[in-house]
Amino acid sequence: MSEAADRRWLAHARALALRGHGRTAPNPMVGAVVVRDGVVVGEGWHAEYGAPHAEPMALRAAGEAARGATAYVTLEPCAHHGKTPPCTGALLAAGVTRVVFGARDPNPLARGGAEVLRAAGLAVDGPLDEEAVRDLDPVFFHAFASDRPFLTLKLAQSLDGAVAPADGGQRWLTGPAARAEVHRQRAGHDAILVGLGTVLADDPLLTVRDVVPPPRRPPRRLVADRGARLPLGSRLVRTAAEVPVAILAPTDPASAARRDALAAAGVATVAGDDLATQLRALRGEGVQSVYCEGGARLASALLGAGLVDRLVIFTAPVRLGVSARRPALATDADPPGAPGPRLIALARLGDDTMATYDLTRVHRAG
């Protein structure tokens, strides 16, 4: 089969993998397609953490038709026994003769499946589409390369690049389709982060709503709040017993009484003198991904510190004027010829547009 055909089947497998969005972490999203004589005879995806992997699901759907077929898998088949048996064993038992995979498994406990299958006599091709698979599930790959969570920064801006009116007042910039997409993206992260200014202006809940299926675990809600000034009467504090809430704050003696009052209300403190330290502390607590919806000040701080891995910009067809608030997306200190963000996707959502950028190569250059 041609490489172009292989890539088409892998693209189909990636689309299947997305059906596990919000349900598989800390495991990866994986899709698999079994093809025989150019026809799909079975397909599957990893639907839930602890549930069967994509390959056994696709092979079960294929049945006897898997013998002599080719299996296309987004991620290198695992070679270890975790919560489920190794996928290499399932592929061998099913009698497939060829396996094509998109990306190597970064997990040192699970990788090596390609070599196992080749040693057993199967034809194995891959990695064939590493970048596309990493773009599909960047949180999983980031977890094996960094000591802090993967951070997605979401910005909603006007046509003239502003994120809020000059007075900082509350205002919807984007329409219903874009707001629904934000909730879908929230569902794929372990935590949602805003700054204290956003809480004071909007009093948000920061929960995932109207997403089917819902996330396996509701994202933890975080507030960057150096002075521990999160109001006890805010909706976040009042619902802390339902979905966890924490502030990111230094252990300043001047704010100790306010931190104690928040703790009594069920709000934890993630301590650290700066955002980088606080994010590393979050990773130590098991948070592998953060979705930031902060305003211009928090966005600028995260970008300036090189802590943003993915940037999602929603642009609404309105203008807010020259005095409106804007984040610092670049600085004059950037060296000439420095690599910029890589555009991953551009989509239309109602009257709004959504641009998604990968910033990891910017970090590597720095």
Side-chain angles (χ1 to χ4, degrees):
M1 191 168 291
S2 69
E3 181 176 323
D6 287 343
R7 290 184 181 277
R8 284 197 301 271
W9 291 124
L10 283 175
H12 182 61
R14 291 198 304 274
L16 292 170
L18 280 171
R19 298 187 186 184
H21 178 80
R23 304 292 302 180
T24 64
N27 283 354
M29 293 185 287
V30 181
V33 185
V34 181
V35 178
R36 184 170 182 173
D37 298 326
V39 177
V40 174
V41 294
E43 55 184 33
W45 60 92
H46 185 36
E48 182 94 18
Y49 177 73
H53 289 186
E55 297 95 318
M57 296 298 290
L59 293 168
R60 185 182 305 166
E64 283 300 310
R67 295 202 172 275
T70 297
Y72 293 89
V73 192
T74 55
L75 191 69
E76 176 186 16
C78 64
H80 84 304
H81 198 300
K83 287 186 175 294
T84 60
C87 293
T88 49
L91 290 162
L92 292 171
V96 301
T97 55
R98 181 173 180 245
V99 174
V100 182
F101 67 94
R104 289 277 186 189
D105 193 329
N107 186 346
L109 296 176
R111 66 189 175 203
E115 286 71 23
V116 170
L117 294 172
R118 288 192 183 104
L122 271 67
V124 181
D125 293 299
L128 193 61
D129 219 349
E130 189 101 30
E131 186 172 77
V133 177
R134 286 177 174 270
D135 287 344
L136 168 80
D137 196 1
V139 172
F140 174 72
F141 287 89
H142 181 88
F144 297 95
S146 177
D147 63 352
R148 64 166 177 81
F150 182 91
L151 194 141
T152 299
L153 173 62
K154 184 274 291 184
L155 296 174
Q157 68 174 20
S158 61
L159 285 173
D160 49 354
V163 297
D167 61 6
Q170 182 178 5
R171 174 176 177 176
W172 285 116
L173 285 179
T174 55
R179 296 198 291 273
E181 172 61 17
V182 168
H183 280 272
R184 191 196 70 82
Q185 292 183 15
R186 284 180 178 182
H189 291 75
D190 293 335
I192 302 168
L193 170 65
V194 297
L196 178 65
T198 295
V199 175
L200 296 178
D202 301 345
D203 194 21
L205 269 178
L206 303 181
T207 53
V208 176
R209 299 184 290 279
D210 301 322
V211 174
V212 180
R216 186 172 68 89
R217 293 182 299 193
R220 190 176 182 183
R221 299 169 297 170
L222 307 172
V223 181
D225 181 12
R226 292 191 63 84
R229 295 189 294 118
L230 179 64
L232 294 175
S234 66
R235 294 201 294 171
L236 286 173
V237 176
R238 297 201 312 270
T239 59
E242 302 167 20
V243 180
V245 178
I247 60 168
L248 310 186
T251 53
D252 179 5
S255 62
R258 292 191 293 275
R259 292 198 307 274
D260 289 345
L262 287 168
V267 177
T269 295
V270 178
D273 292 331
D274 54 36
L275 287 166
T277 304
Q278 293 158 358
L279 287 171
R280 286 195 295 271
L282 280 168
R283 177 63 189 275
E285 296 179 10
V287 175
Q288 292 193 353
S289 59
V290 174
Y291 191 73
C292 179
E293 301 183 43
R297 181 177 299 178
L298 180 57
S300 297
L302 290 167
L303 288 163
L307 297 172
V308 178
D309 301 293
R310 178 163 288 191
L311 178 62
V312 181
I313 300 178
F314 294 87
T315 302
V318 298
R319 296 183 183 276
L320 296 182
V322 295
S323 59
R325 299 186 179 187
R326 292 170 172 80
L329 296 179
T331 71
D332 293 336
D334 292 337
R342 176 174 61 90
L343 179 65
I344 297 173
L346 187 63
R348 168 77 65 177
L349 296 169
D351 293 330
D352 309 312
T353 58
M354 179 183 71
T356 305
Y357 298 92
D358 167 50
L359 271 63
T360 55
R361 70 176 184 175
V362 178
H363 301 335
R364 289 195 297 269

